[in-house]
C-alpha cells in the first residue's frame, strides 16, 4: 500500500469535518509525545506509527533549538492527523513543577482527550520509542481488538543497540537488551489516578500485556514488569537511544526535562543498557514492504529540505557535546566516564583532555 493510501485510511478520528460522529468498528488511538531537539527523527517516527494504524499524533515541543516546528509543519501537508503544540508554558511554573514537564503534559492531554471523546485510547511515547509488531503487519487496532475489555495494554521495552552508519531505520534483525520497563496504551474510559511515563496507575486495574498476561509490576518499581514476565512478545517498544556512535553522543546534549545540566547523564554508555542480551527479529518480507513505504514517505518534496537541515543540526550538536563536557560541575565529571563508556578511543581521549582542562577543575 502506498503511503498516500496509508494516510487516507489510517489517519482518521471518530469525527468528520462537520464534527459529526462517524460510526466505526475500529478503535481509534492518539499518540501524545514530548520532543526536544529531535527534528531529524520525527519524520521516520511519524511514518512508523501511521503505518501501524495510529490515528492521530500530538507532538509537544519544549526548550527546542532545532527546526522541529518546521519539520512537523512540512509533514502536516500530507499527514492531517499530526499536530504541533508548545509545552514551553510549563516553564512558567515554579522550579519544582518544571522538573515534571512530561507528567504535566501527559496529565493535561489525558484529561482533554477524555472530555473530547474523539478517540478511544491514548498512548504516551517518546520520539526514540517505536511501537513495533514482530510480524510488521499487525495494527494497533488488531492488538486492541484481541483484548477489548482491557483498561490498558502494556508493551515490553527492547533497548536496540546502535549501528555504524548514521540515520538508519529500524533493522530486520536487531541486537539489544530486554528492559523490564514498559510503555502503555490507556483506554480513555479508564479512571487514571496517577499519570506515569511508562505505566500510569488506574483505579479499575485491568492492565494486560499484548499476549493476555496480566501486568504484574516489579516490587521495586511499579512502572517495571515483574522479572519473571520479561520476554520478547508479539509487539515490543523499540527504544532507539543509541542509533550510531555520533548520534548517541549528539543526543546527550538534549539534557533531561527533570534537570538543568547541559548533558544527559542517565546513560550507562554506548550500547550499554540493563537487561538480558538478545535479538529482536521481524518478518523479513513484511519488513521490506515497510522500508519501501518509509523511503517513499521520507522522499516527499515537502520533507526533504527540512529533514536535511535537521540532520545537519545533529552532526553539529556532536561537537557541542564534546565541548560541553568541561563545563559540567565538578561533582558530575566522574559521570562522564560512565556515559561515554563504549565510545571509540578518539572520543575517550577527547574526554580525558577536556576534563583535565575543564573550568570546573581549574576553579578547585
Amino acid at each position: 500500500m502506498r503511503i498516500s493510501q496509508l494516510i487516507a485510511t489510517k489517519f482518521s478520528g471518530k469525527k468528520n469535518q462537520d464534527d459529526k460522529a462517524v460510526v466505526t468498528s475500529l478503535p481509534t488511538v492518539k499518540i501524545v509525545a514530548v520532543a526536544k531537539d529531535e527534528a531529524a527523527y520525527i519524520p521516520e517516527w511519524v511514518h512508523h506509527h501511521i503505518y501501524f494504524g495510529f490515528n492521530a499524533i500530538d507532538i509537544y515541543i519544549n526548550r527546542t533549538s532545532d527546526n522541529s516546528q518546521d519539520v512537523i509543519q512540512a509533514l502536516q501537508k500530507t499527514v492531517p492527523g499530526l499536530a504541533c503544540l508548545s509545552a514551553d508554558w510549563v516553564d512558567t511554573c515554579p522550579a519544582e513543577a518544571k522538573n515534571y514537564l512530561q507528567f504535566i503534559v501527559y496529565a493535561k492531554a489525558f484529561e482533554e482527550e477524555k472530555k473530547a471523546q474523539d478517540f478511544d485510547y491514548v498512548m504516551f511515547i517518546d520520539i526514540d520509542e517505536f511501537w513495533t509488531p514482530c510480524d510488521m503487519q499487525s495494527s494497533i487496532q488488531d492488538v486492541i481488538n484481541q483484548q477489548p475489555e482491557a483498561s490498558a495494554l502494556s508493551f515490553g521495552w527492547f533497548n536496540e543497540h546502535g549501528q555504524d552508519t548514521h540515520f538508519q531505520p529500524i533493522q530486520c534483525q536487531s541486537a539489544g537488551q530486554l528492559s523490564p520497563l514498559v510503555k502503555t496504551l490507556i483506554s480513555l474510559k479508564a479512571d487514571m489516578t496517577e499519570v506515569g511515563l511508562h505505566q500510569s496507575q488506574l483505579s479499575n486495574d485491568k492492565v494486560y500485556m499484548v499476549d493476555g498476561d496480566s501486568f504484574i509490576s516489579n516490587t521495586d518499581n511499579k512502572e517495571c514488569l515483574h522479572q519473571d514476565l520479561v520476554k520478547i512478545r508479539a509487539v515490543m517498544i523499540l527504544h532507539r537511544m543509541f542509533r550510531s556512535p555520533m548520534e548517541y553522543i549528539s543526543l546527550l546534549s538534549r539534557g533531561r526535562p527533570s534537570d538543568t545540566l547541559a548533558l544527559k547523564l542517565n546513560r550507562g554508555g554506548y550500547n550499554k543498557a540493563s537487561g538480558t542480551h538478545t535479538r529482536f527479529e521481524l518478518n523479513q518480507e513484511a519488513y521490506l514492504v515497510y522500508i519501501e513505504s518509509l523511503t517513499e514517505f521520507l522522499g516527499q518534496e515537502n520533507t526533504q529540505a527540512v529533514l536535511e537541515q535537521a540532520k545537519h543540526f545533529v552532526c553539529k550538536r556532536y561537537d557541542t557535546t564534546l565541548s560541553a563536557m568541561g563545563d559540567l560541575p565538578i561533582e558530575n565529571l566522574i559521570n562522564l566516564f560512565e556515559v561515554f563508556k563504549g565510545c571509540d578511543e578518539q572520543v575517550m581521549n577527547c574526554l580525558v583532555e577536556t576534563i583535565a582542562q575543564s573550568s570546573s577543575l581549574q576553579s578547585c
Side-chain angles (χ1 to χ4, degrees):
M1 182 181 289
R2 297 180 63 83
I3 191 62
S4 56
Q5 294 173 295
L6 283 168
I7 292 170
T9 58
K10 295 187 177 184
F11 253 74
S12 58
K14 294 180 66 177
K15 295 184 178 180
N16 61 20
Q17 293 179 347
D18 296 324
D19 205 34
K20 297 177 181 178
V22 175
V23 177
T24 175
S25 60
L26 293 176
T28 52
V29 186
K30 172 176 275 192
I31 288 176
V32 177
V34 177
K36 176 185 177 181
D37 290 341
E38 296 174 273
Y41 308 108
I42 288 173
E44 175 197 7
W45 182 85
V46 166
H47 167 270
H48 184 92
H49 293 96
I50 295 171
Y51 193 86
F52 292 114
F54 290 85
N55 303 95
I57 299 175
D58 286 353
I59 300 178
Y60 286 80
I61 57 175
N62 173 259
R63 306 167 188 170
T64 295
S65 54
D66 70 0
N67 65 333
S68 289
Q69 186 168 350
D70 292 339
V71 167
I72 296 170
Q73 288 176 344
L75 294 174
Q76 285 174 323
K77 294 177 182 179
T78 52
V79 183
L82 177 63
C84 181
L85 304 139
S86 173
D88 286 341
W89 52 270
V90 178
D91 288 329
T92 65
C93 297
E96 296 81 3
K98 294 177 187 179
N99 293 340
Y100 295 95
L101 183 147
Q102 282 183 287
F103 293 93
I104 293 170
V105 170
Y106 290 164
K108 169 184 176 291
F110 186 84
E111 186 64 20
E112 289 178 348
E113 294 304 327
K114 196 176 184 72
K115 288 180 179 178
Q117 299 183 349
D118 289 335
F119 298 91
D120 299 308
Y121 296 84
V122 67
M123 191 167 186
F124 307 131
I125 52 178
D126 296 337
I127 306 300
D128 63 359
E129 297 165 348
F130 289 65
W131 186 94
T132 307
C134 294
D135 65 10
M136 291 300 284
Q137 298 180 75
S138 296
S139 69
I140 186 66
Q141 287 81 14
D142 294 332
V143 172
I144 292 171
N145 284 339
Q146 290 173 7
Q147 300 183 73
E149 76 287 354
S151 302
L153 289 173
S154 292
F155 305 94
W157 236 32
F158 181 81
N159 287 311
E160 175 197 62
H161 285 173
Q163 304 158 51
D164 293 335
T165 308
H166 315 327
F167 306 115
Q168 291 298 297
I170 63 172
Q171 299 298 291
C172 191
Q173 297 185 26
S174 301
Q177 291 170 267
L178 271 175
S179 169
L181 284 168
V182 297
K183 282 287 176 163
T184 304
L185 174 85
I186 309 169
S187 169
L188 285 163
K189 294 180 181 178
D191 182 13
M192 181 189 291
T193 57
E194 182 181 327
V195 69
L197 303 185
H198 297 272
Q199 182 67 278
S200 297
Q201 302 303 301
L202 311 176
S203 61
N204 49 338
D205 209 16
K206 295 181 180 177
V207 183
Y208 301 106
M209 304 301 294
V210 64
D211 54 7
D213 285 349
S214 293
F215 174 86
I216 301 174
S217 63
N218 190 299
T219 53
D220 297 327
N221 188 335
K222 62 186 178 182
E223 292 199 86
C224 286
L225 187 61
H226 190 278
Q227 59 189 26
D228 293 341
L229 296 176
V230 177
K231 63 180 181 180
I232 296 289
R233 299 174 191 266
V235 181
M236 299 294 292
I237 301 295
L238 288 187
H239 186 209
R240 308 198 68 203
M241 65 177 177
F242 298 121
R243 288 190 171 267
S244 71
M246 183 278 288
E247 291 169 282
Y248 169 75
I249 292 171
S250 176
L251 285 164
L252 294 175
S253 279
R254 289 178 55 237
R256 299 176 68 193
S258 58
D259 63 43
T260 57
L261 292 175
L263 298 182
K264 193 179 183 76
L265 297 180
N266 66 332
R267 294 287 184 255
Y270 181 66
N271 282 347
K272 308 291 184 183
S274 60
T276 306
H277 288 268
T278 187
R279 299 188 69 83
F280 184 57
E281 298 186 2
L282 306 174
N283 177 285
Q284 185 172 10
E285 184 177 351
Y287 170 80
L288 293 176
V289 176
Y290 165 89
I291 291 297
E292 182 180 357
S293 176
L294 174 62
T295 302
E296 180 189 345
F297 185 81
L298 297 182
Q300 295 177 107
E301 185 176 351
N302 58 295
T303 305
Q304 287 180 316
V306 289
L307 181 55
E308 286 306 310
Q309 182 182 346
K311 290 180 178 179
H312 176 73
F313 176 90
V314 173
C315 297
K316 186 176 180 181
R317 188 176 57 190
Y318 168 86
D319 296 323
T320 301
T321 300
L322 297 182
S323 300
M325 294 188 298
D327 296 326
L328 286 177
I330 185 67
E331 62 268 21
N332 296 115
L333 292 182
I334 192 66
N335 300 117
L336 287 174
F337 286 98
E338 184 74 11
V339 169
F340 283 88
K341 187 167 56 179
C343 294
D344 62 36
E345 185 177 355
Q346 179 180 355
V347 171
M348 295 306 292
N349 289 339
C350 178
L351 171 62
V352 172
E353 181 179 349
T354 301
I355 290 179
Q357 299 175 1
S358 72
S359 56
S360 297
L361 285 177
Q362 300 294 332
S363 61
C364 291

